[in-house]
């Protein structure tokens, strides 16, 4: 990831899909937007919303999106990689707001998980109550299918 990228503020666990591909990322970046488009269903809050995937988390299936109609608005969604339209609250919206809200959320997640936040601090009084990073298994307890990888 380029250090000049705004995504760099989120730490090393994020790959900026708009920059040069990180050496430690083998994910097919085109597949991210396609899967997001497939999973968002008519009852989802973002159905019909033009979202641009700008980054993905290396350690799980989170994607960071910018809202095309409101470029100052960002959202972190957790994909299931089911390759089908989802039901209920999936894909989950883990964070939504302006850039400062996304950075604060990431700092709080890192602090709650015992890691250090990218800027070394977390918002005081932040209680995630188990929200944030998801386990490696889906809601039925079955292993989640891996995201498509680019050819070696």
């Amino acid at each position: 990831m380029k250090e000049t990228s705004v995504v760099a503020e989120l730490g090393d666990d994020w790959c900026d899909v708009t920059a040069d591909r990180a050496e430690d990322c083998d994910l097919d970046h085109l597949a991210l937007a396609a899967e997001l488009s497939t999973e968002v269903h008519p009852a989802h809050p973002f159905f019909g919303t033009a979202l641009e995937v700008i980054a993905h988390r290396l350690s799980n299936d989170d994607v960071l999106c910018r809202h095309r109609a409101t470029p100052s608005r960002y959202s972190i969604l957790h994909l299931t990689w089911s390759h089908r339209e989802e039901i209920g609250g999936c894909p989950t919206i883990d964070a939504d707001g302006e850039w400062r809200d996304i950075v604060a959320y990431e700092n709080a997640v890192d602090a709650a998980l015992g890691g250090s936040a990218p800027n070394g601090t977390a918002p005081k009084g932040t209680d995630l109550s188990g929200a944030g990073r998801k386990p490696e298994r889906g809601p039925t307890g079955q292993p989640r299918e891996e995201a498509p990888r680019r050819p070696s």
Side-chain angles (χ1 to χ4, degrees), residues 94-110:
D94 291 346
D96 186 43
E98 294 182 358
W99 184 249
R100 68 177 177 270
D101 302 316
I102 299 300
V103 172
Y105 171 80
E106 282 298 300
N107 289 344
V109 168
D110 286 341

Side-chain angles (χ1 to χ4, degrees), residues 89-150:
C90 293
T92 58
I93 302 168
D94 291 346
D96 186 43
E98 294 182 358
W99 184 249
R100 68 177 177 270
D101 302 316
I102 299 300
V103 172
Y105 171 80
E106 282 298 300
N107 289 344
V109 168
D110 286 341
L113 294 175
S116 62
N119 68 5
T121 63
K124 289 190 175 200
T126 302
D127 177 16
L128 294 176
S129 300
R133 300 198 178 142
K134 307 293 183 207
E136 291 300 318
R137 299 197 175 263
T140 62
Q142 298 299 313
R144 196 179 318 269
E145 182 178 335
E146 283 200 23
R149 304 292 174 184
R150 68 180 171 145

Side-chain angles (χ1 to χ4, degrees), residues 9-22:
E9 289 182 59
L10 300 179
D12 293 337
D13 196 27
W14 287 92
C15 178
D16 184 343
V17 302
T18 66
D20 292 336
R21 186 181 303 273

Side-chain angles (χ1 to χ4, degrees), residues 17 28-39 51-53 63 65 68 79 81:
V17 302
D28 178 357
H29 288 167
L30 296 176
L32 293 167
E35 184 65 19
L36 178 63
S37 178
T38 299
E39 289 186 25
L51 298 172
E52 174 190 8
V53 176
V63 292
C65 302
R68 291 186 191 265
L79 300 178
W81 288 99

Side-chain angles (χ1 to χ4, degrees), residues 1-8 12 14-27 29 54-56 58 150:
M1 162 177 20
K2 289 183 181 178
E3 286 306 313
T4 57
S5 165
V6 68
V7 175
D12 293 337
W14 287 92
C15 178
D16 184 343
V17 302
T18 66
D20 292 336
R21 186 181 303 273
E23 289 180 19
D24 55 350
C25 177
D26 63 353
L27 188 68
H29 288 167
I54 62 170
H56 70 91
L58 296 170
R150 68 180 171 145

